């Protein structure tokens, strides 16, 4: 297996970004997360904040709204435009260099790419809540709310654009529970697979 | 992490049993697969063939039937009895010795057990079909049919007894795509985690 691109899909609070960064640093390759937002903003002319809100958390409507609003109807077109620009940027990055790409349905966008390793990082709720409380300096109640809302948006976005089910093992080459295995062990597994 | 029990859930044709056996051999610990069937048969007095059919593939009714037949109605009771005996045997084994246990909802039965590592092995359809054709000496058409039927039964059984969704990453500590990673790499990852 010769893999040089690692896509990291992750639950909110699972430490997926930290693990992705650890892997990039250890392998000495590029790391793309917020960097993609800047590229999409530059390409589309939209503000970074707008892209951040719409690039990974769109469609931001409720599941019910999605059942009645089809993709080609007005109102979804803006999200679809941002998604298509983001998709092209991810394909260009993967073509150009070895790297870690976090989120943004990169696993699906690069699913036919032989040199990509697709990883899903998740964790037990208790660990995620603690992490969110520490990182965002919020109460337990707020952390639970934030966790549920963020992952709900991510899953709606993922399911909508990929026609797959977020969190299903089959979408990825490997799935790691970071609270059971630890961040270091997760990074070790990924780095060892790439080096093998 | 100090783990000494490894539960291996697996898709039909994914090589999960082979990987489980490799791990047990490398770690020098016991391996339980068909051995559990013999123990359940001995305990219940039923024939091994009957246990094999009902121990992991029950309830063998259609999904529709399950929507209308509740667990405590006559007809399910035999499956539930076998399941409860099997469950007790798995708990006893885990209490007694370090081992690998394949299938039989062991991940759920031992989900509260700190010394258990829960692994899900899956693979791309193409690889599974080839494996089934080789192992069972059947045509491609028959292999596809066997793969779908076996995994459908396993998933109905799993979803029914665990109230979880089979193949969802969250049920396990790690999930490995054996056709993308290779059997050896899968065994390496598990052995390294146990030895760590």
């Amino acid at each position: 297996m010769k893999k040089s691109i690692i896509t990291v899909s992750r639950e909110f609070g699972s430490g997926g970004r930290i693990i992705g960064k650890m892997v990039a640093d250890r392998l000495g390759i590029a790391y793309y997360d917020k960097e993609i937002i800047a590229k999409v903003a530059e390409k589309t002319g939209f503000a970074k904040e707008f892209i951040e809100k719409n690039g990974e958390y769109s469609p931001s409507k409720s599941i019910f709204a999605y059942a009645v609003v089809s993709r080609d109807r007005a109102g979804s077109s803006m999200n679809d435009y941002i998604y298509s620009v983001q998709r092209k940027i991810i394909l260009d990055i993967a073509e150009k260099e070895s790297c870690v790409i976090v989120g943004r349905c990169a696993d699906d966008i690069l699913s036919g790419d032989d040199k990509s390793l697709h990883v899903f990082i998740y964790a037990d709720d208790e660990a995620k809540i603690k992490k969110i409380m520490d990182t965002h300096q919020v109460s337990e109640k707020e952390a639970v709310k934030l966790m549920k809302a963020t992952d709900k948006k991510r899953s709606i976005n993922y399911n909508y654009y990929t026609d797959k089910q977020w969190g299903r093992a089959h979408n990825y080459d490997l799935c790691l529970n970071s609270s059971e295995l630890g961040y270091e062990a997760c990074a070790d597994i990924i780095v060892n697979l790439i080096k093998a």
Side-chain angles (χ1 to χ4, degrees), chain A:
Chain A
M1 191 179 57
K2 284 171 190 167
K3 309 279 190 187
S4 54
I5 313 284
I6 301 131
T7 71
V8 178
S9 307
R10 77 296 183 211
E11 287 183 341
F12 191 62
S14 69
R17 289 168 74 175
I18 297 170
I19 294 166
K21 190 74 174 70
M22 285 164 75
V23 169
D25 287 348
R26 285 211 222 159
L27 293 171
I29 60 176
Y31 172 81
Y32 288 98
D33 180 10
K34 303 270 183 201
E35 296 76 4
I36 292 173
I37 295 169
K39 280 178 182 279
V40 178
E42 191 189 349
K43 189 89 177 174
T44 59
F46 291 122
K48 283 183 192 174
E49 293 70 24
F50 183 82
I51 300 298
E52 184 154 23
K53 202 171 169 183
N54 288 276
E56 200 173 13
Y57 302 122
S58 69
S60 51
K61 302 171 191 74
S62 71
I63 293 170
F64 177 73
Y66 267 85
V68 292
V69 177
S70 75
R71 214 179 270 194
D72 54 355
R73 294 271 285 277
S76 286
S77 58
M78 180 70 81
N79 290 332
D80 286 354
Y81 171 58
I82 292 171
Y83 184 82
S84 74
V85 171
Q86 190 167 269
R87 183 177 179 280
K88 180 72 169 58
I89 287 167
I90 288 170
L91 287 168
D92 286 348
I93 290 169
E95 184 65 34
K96 205 182 65 186
E97 61 179 337
S98 298
C99 62
V100 171
I101 304 173
V102 175
R104 291 161 188 87
C105 306
D107 61 286
D108 185 68
I109 293 165
L110 299 171
S111 65
D113 184 77
D114 280 347
K115 63 183 187 304
S116 296
L117 180 77
H118 306 298
V119 186
F120 180 59
I121 305 286
Y122 54 104
D124 298 339
D125 280 359
E126 196 183 333
K128 290 188 292 185
I129 292 162
K130 196 180 172 306
K131 177 78 170 58
I132 296 165
M133 287 171 70
D134 288 350
T135 309
H136 298 270
Q137 292 293 304
V138 292
S139 69
E140 186 175 338
K141 199 179 165 186
E142 287 168 316
V144 171
K145 203 176 160 186
L146 198 56
M147 176 182 77
K148 287 188 179 172
T150 308
D151 280 348
K152 189 174 180 178
K153 283 183 208 164
R154 281 182 187 169
S155 73
I156 290 174
N157 177 272
Y158 186 86
N159 300 353
Y160 181 73
Y161 282 111
T162 69
D163 285 329
K164 294 175 188 169
Q165 206 186 339
W166 199 59
R168 192 170 170 255
H170 246 281
N171 306 340
Y172 314 96
D173 298 326
L174 72 159
C175 309
L176 306 170
N177 181 328
S178 63
S179 56
E180 279 296 321
L181 308 177
Y183 292 5
E184 281 288 342
C186 291
D188 283 347
I189 290 171
I190 301 166
V191 168
N192 288 340
L193 282 170
I194 297 294
K195 283 187 175 170

